[in-house]
Amino acid sequence: MIKNTESSYGIIAIAIHWLMAITIFSLFGLGLYMVELTYYDAWYKGSLDLHKNIGMVLLVALLLRVVWRLVNVTPKSADDEASNAENKTAHYAHLALYGLMGVLMLSGYLISTADGRAIEVFGQLSIPALPFNFANQEDIAGNMHEILAWTLVLLSLGHGLAALKHHFINKNNTLLRMIKVIPSKIN
Ligand code: HEM
Ligand code: HEM
C-alpha cells in the first residue's frame, strides 16, 4: 500500500516519517557537537559541511513530504475514545512539527548564506544565497536556529511520548500504524 487510507498510513508516509525523525535527531547531536569544535580540530570544517549538506537534503525531503501529505488523505484518529480536544491537539502538534522543521531548515540556510556564498550540496548542487541579506544575519539566524532546534526536538519527544502512551496505556493502533502498513479492514 503506497498511499494512505482513511484508517492507515501508506509505506511512503511511514518511510519518510522515520527517515526524517532519525536524521533530525542525528543532525541535532551533530550540531551540538560541532559548535564546540575549534578551527584547529581536524573535523571542524568537515562536520559543518556534513551538517549543512544533510540539512539541505532534509529541506528537499520536507517539501516532498508536504506535497505527499497534500495529495493523500490523512488517516483519522486511531483512538476511538479520544475527545475532540485531544484530536485537535494532535492535529495542531503535527502542524507545529511541520512548521518548526521548515523554519529550522530555513534559518540554517540563512546562517550558511549570510556571507553571500551559495551552499554546495555534496559538491553536486549549488543553492544560491538570497540576492540581499539583513544586518547581523549570521547571528540572528544562528540564535533562531539554536532555539528552533531545541523546540523541535523537545516537541517531537513529547509527540513520541504521546505515541507511546497510546500504545502502552490506551492500547490502540496509533503507533503500530506508523510502524507498519495495516490493511484497512483489520484496523
Ligand atoms: C532539522 C534540521 C537541523 C537540525 C536539527 C539542526 C540542529 C542544529 C544544532 C543543534 C546546532 C547547534 C546550535 C548551537 O548550539 O549553537 C546547529 C548549528 C548549525 N546549523 Fe543546523 N540543524 C538543522 C539544519 C540545518 C541546515 C539546513 C543548515 C544549513 C544549510 C544548518 C546550518 C547550521 C550551521 C551553519 C550551524 C552553526 C551555527 C553556529 O556556528 O552557531 N543546519 N544546527
Ligand atoms: C524529529 C522527530 C519527529 C518528527 C519531526 C515527527 C513528525 C510527525 C508528523 C509531522 C506527523 C504527522 C504525520 C501526518 O499526518 O502527516 C507524525 C505522526 C506520527 N508520529 Fe512522529 N515525528 C517524530 C518522531 C516520532 C517518534 C520518536 C515517534 C514514536 C515514538 C513518533 C510517532 C508518530 C506516530 C505514531 C504518528 C501518527 C500519529 C497519528 O496517527 O495521529 N514520531 N510525526
Side-chain angles (χ1 to χ4, degrees), residues 118-136:
I119 303 177
E120 307 295 335
V121 184
F122 291 112
Q124 300 298 318
L125 177 70
S126 178
I127 303 193
L130 294 176
F132 56 87
N133 51 15
F134 50 87
N136 298 327

Side-chain angles (χ1 to χ4, degrees), residues 88-157:
K88 277 214 165 96
T89 310
H91 175 69
Y92 287 116
H94 292 163
L95 290 185
L97 288 168
Y98 280 119
L100 280 165
M101 287 189 271
V103 282
L104 172 59
M105 294 173 209
L106 286 179
S107 64
Y109 161 83
L110 289 176
I111 316 172
S112 306
T113 53
D115 58 4
R117 277 188 300 164
I119 303 177
E120 307 295 335
V121 184
F122 291 112
Q124 300 298 318
L125 177 70
S126 178
I127 303 193
L130 294 176
F132 56 87
N133 51 15
F134 50 87
N136 298 327
Q137 179 167 322
E138 190 168 353
D139 291 342
I140 295 172
N143 288 336
M144 295 297 300
H145 194 68
E146 187 178 358
I147 296 169
L148 290 166
W150 276 99
T151 312
L152 174 64
V153 163
L154 292 177
L155 182 62
S156 61
L157 286 178

Side-chain angles (χ1 to χ4, degrees), residues 20 23-36 44 48 51-59 100-101 104-113 119 138 142-143 145-150 152-153:
M20 286 189 74
T23 316
I24 288 171
F25 287 128
S26 310
L27 270 196
F28 181 71
L30 178 61
L32 293 184
Y33 165 77
M34 76 190 187
V35 291
E36 297 302 320
Y44 175 74
L48 191 59
H51 185 89
K52 290 196 281 186
N53 286 335
I54 297 179
M56 292 316 288
V57 173
L58 263 187
L59 182 56
L100 280 165
M101 287 189 271
L104 172 59
M105 294 173 209
L106 286 179
S107 64
Y109 161 83
L110 289 176
I111 316 172
S112 306
T113 53
I119 303 177
E138 190 168 353
N143 288 336
H145 194 68
E146 187 178 358
I147 296 169
L148 290 166
W150 276 99
L152 174 64
V153 163

Side-chain angles (χ1 to χ4, degrees), residues 6-74:
E6 290 279 328
S7 61
S8 42
Y9 283 100
I11 190 70
I12 304 261
I14 295 177
I16 207 164
H17 173 269
W18 292 110
L19 283 173
M20 286 189 74
I22 293 167
T23 316
I24 288 171
F25 287 128
S26 310
L27 270 196
F28 181 71
L30 178 61
L32 293 184
Y33 165 77
M34 76 190 187
V35 291
E36 297 302 320
L37 298 179
T38 71
Y39 189 76
Y40 300 100
D41 287 291
W43 207 39
Y44 175 74
K45 189 172 178 314
S47 61
L48 191 59
D49 282 345
L50 185 65
H51 185 89
K52 290 196 281 186
N53 286 335
I54 297 179
M56 292 316 288
V57 173
L58 263 187
L59 182 56
V60 175
L62 178 65
L63 295 177
L64 294 175
R65 180 175 184 175
V66 170
V67 170
W68 188 247
R69 191 183 203 265
L70 294 176
V71 299
N72 262 266
V73 284
T74 303

